[in-house]
Amino acid sequence: MKELQMNENYNSPEYKRSRAAYSAECAFEYFVSLLVADAFLSNLLSSMGFDDSTIGIISSLISLAFLFQLFSVFVVQRITNVKLVAVTIHCVSQMFFMFLYLVPFLPFAEEFKTITVFACIIIAYFGNYLVTTVIFDWGNSFVDPEKRARYAAGKEMASLLSGIFVTLFMGYMVDRFAEQGNIKGGFIFTACMILIINICDFLCLMLIKNRIVKEKESKKEPFLQVIGMIFKNKSFVYVIILSVLWNVSNYMLLGFMGIYKTKDLLLSVGVVQIINIAGCLFRFAFSKPFGKFTDRRSYAKGIKLGIAVAAVGFAANIFTTPSLWWMVIVYTVFNNIAMAGIAQNMNNITYSYIDRKYFVQATAIKNSISGLCGFLASVAGGKILDYVQSNNNTIFGLKVYGQQVLSFISLAVAVVAIVFVKAVVEKQKIIAK
């Protein structure tokens, strides 16, 4: 990928337009991710007859999908026209999320529909993550490195604020269709909304200034040589370990919360979205402070603070039961605040320890390894959930839900991650912003 030149004018109209378009594109991509996750996805899969553990594993496929970023290690060195490749692959893959909501209408056996659901999710995430780091690096190339964390915070705030209205509106509409006994009508409506959002996503990507990589800048290096260079970088290996710890902590529980809210806590999709909106408002409020804190300190310290906040949420969720259902609000709020310090910083921290020309490859490798570990954690979480439910939600004679057990495990891993950042990652020498 073309490296930034020292004389680039970040205040030029083209750069300002590109930053604004990239920020808007991230918002539209975020809208789609909201509609294929949590209560929305659980509602779709539950209506198709999927059991709780399978729904949790499918919901966590996003973590396994990070493996697809490994393919970008091969792709990035062959890209000369960034916009053409990124826009084509990204927009086509996003359409498979729309098709996911049309699966219930297929005139096929349930077994084939199940296969189709998995195929849609895998294809969508494959295309998405094949170019996600390419788009991330492309969009951030128009941002002053000294203001990267604050820009990321502003971009995130725009997505969160607009996402609140999307989830509120969609939650209301899905509930209305369900109340009328027309749940499939809600699926058609959701599919149409995803189509409209994807068109807006495409238009935003087209407004970003293209980056043409000259032949000498796209010099192909052997895959093993790139891998070897990255893994010889001890500081970056520590970042990979940190990412693994966070993904294990997060995905051990995350994929099973949607069904917990709607099935065990007996909350409607609309109520779940109101709770999620409250969480988003808190994330919105803390995004700028986290961005300023990170720009002043470091990405590692921003991540550490975020995981500490997440740990409080995990602790609260240990006590969430139907009689104490409101504790899920505490979990949701703290989890959202935590993501203000973790999400963008976990991507940006790669800049601190890797040469810019290897950013896409290094990020892909980090995300793939941690994503695989996150998926395996969700599989383990599914087994634990099945065990607890098969014992009538009791362990050692105590009444307990599987999600409470998973919350305890997530808390324990989060504490390990905090100690690791403090004792190891923060002590590494930073080579760049």
Side-chain angles (χ1 to χ4, degrees), residues 69-79 220 222-224 361:
Q69 287 193 28
L70 278 178
F71 290 93
S72 67
V73 175
F74 303 97
V75 173
V76 68
Q77 297 187 78
R78 292 167 172 77
I79 294 177
K220 301 177 181 62
F223 175 72
L224 292 180
Q361 295 96 319

Side-chain angles (χ1 to χ4, degrees), residues 46-89:
S46 181
S47 71
M48 295 176 64
F50 288 82
D51 59 45
D52 292 3
S53 61
T54 302
I55 291 174
I57 292 173
I58 291 176
S59 299
S60 299
L61 273 176
I62 182 174
S63 62
L64 180 64
F66 278 119
L67 277 174
F68 298 142
Q69 287 193 28
L70 278 178
F71 290 93
S72 67
V73 175
F74 303 97
V75 173
V76 68
Q77 297 187 78
R78 292 167 172 77
I79 294 177
T80 54
N81 189 322
V82 176
K83 178 181 285 189
L84 176 63
V85 175
V87 173
T88 301
I89 295 177

Side-chain angles (χ1 to χ4, degrees), residues 32 135 147 167 200 210 263:
V32 174
I135 294 176
K147 300 177 181 178
T167 53
C200 295
N210 197 6
K263 184 176 180 179

Side-chain angles (χ1 to χ4, degrees), residues 252-407:
M252 175 64 66
L253 172 66
L254 186 63
F256 306 98
M257 284 305 297
I259 196 65
Y260 189 48
K261 295 170 187 174
T262 56
K263 184 176 180 179
D264 296 302
L265 303 183
L266 302 178
L267 302 176
S268 69
V269 173
V271 171
V272 170
Q273 295 315 310
I274 291 174
I275 294 173
N276 289 341
I277 286 169
C280 286
L281 286 173
F282 276 91
R283 182 172 176 177
F284 177 87
F286 281 86
S287 288
K288 274 293 184 183
F290 262 113
K292 292 179 180 178
F293 174 85
T294 299
D295 276 334
R296 287 198 307 265
R297 304 296 181 84
S298 68
Y299 297 125
K301 290 183 178 179
I303 292 171
K304 182 182 69 174
L305 180 58
I307 296 178
V309 174
V312 177
F314 294 141
N317 209 50
I318 293 174
F319 301 98
T320 301
T321 62
S323 60
L324 291 174
W325 66 269
W326 53 269
M327 289 295 287
V328 78
I329 300 176
V330 179
Y331 160 75
T332 302
V333 167
F334 276 88
N335 187 261
N336 274 272
I337 293 174
M339 293 310 295
I342 298 172
Q344 296 297 332
N345 286 336
M346 197 64 84
N347 284 323
N348 286 330
I349 195 172
T350 301
Y351 288 113
S352 296
Y353 305 108
I354 288 290
D355 187 309
R356 175 65 186 275
K357 68 179 179 179
Y358 296 114
F359 176 84
V360 173
Q361 295 96 319
T363 300
I365 291 171
K366 171 177 69 68
N367 290 346
S368 297
I369 294 174
S370 61
L372 174 60
C373 292
F375 179 75
L376 293 177
S378 72
V379 172
K383 297 295 183 182
I384 294 171
L385 184 63
D386 281 341
Y387 174 79
V388 175
Q389 291 181 339
S390 65
N391 284 278
N392 296 317
N393 291 326
T394 58
I395 294 182
F396 305 122
L398 298 175
K399 179 69 175 180
V400 64
Y401 290 89
Q403 283 83 352
Q404 291 177 284
V405 177
L406 299 181
S407 296

Side-chain angles (χ1 to χ4, degrees), residues 26 39 42 64 82 98 101 125 133 138 157 191 224 238 265-266 270 296 308 322 338 362 375 405 417 432:
C26 287
S42 296
L64 180 64
V82 176
M98 179 198 72
Y101 279 93
Y125 280 125
T133 49
W138 173 33
M157 290 170 70
L224 292 180
Y238 291 145
L265 303 183
L266 302 178
R296 287 198 307 265
F375 179 75
V405 177

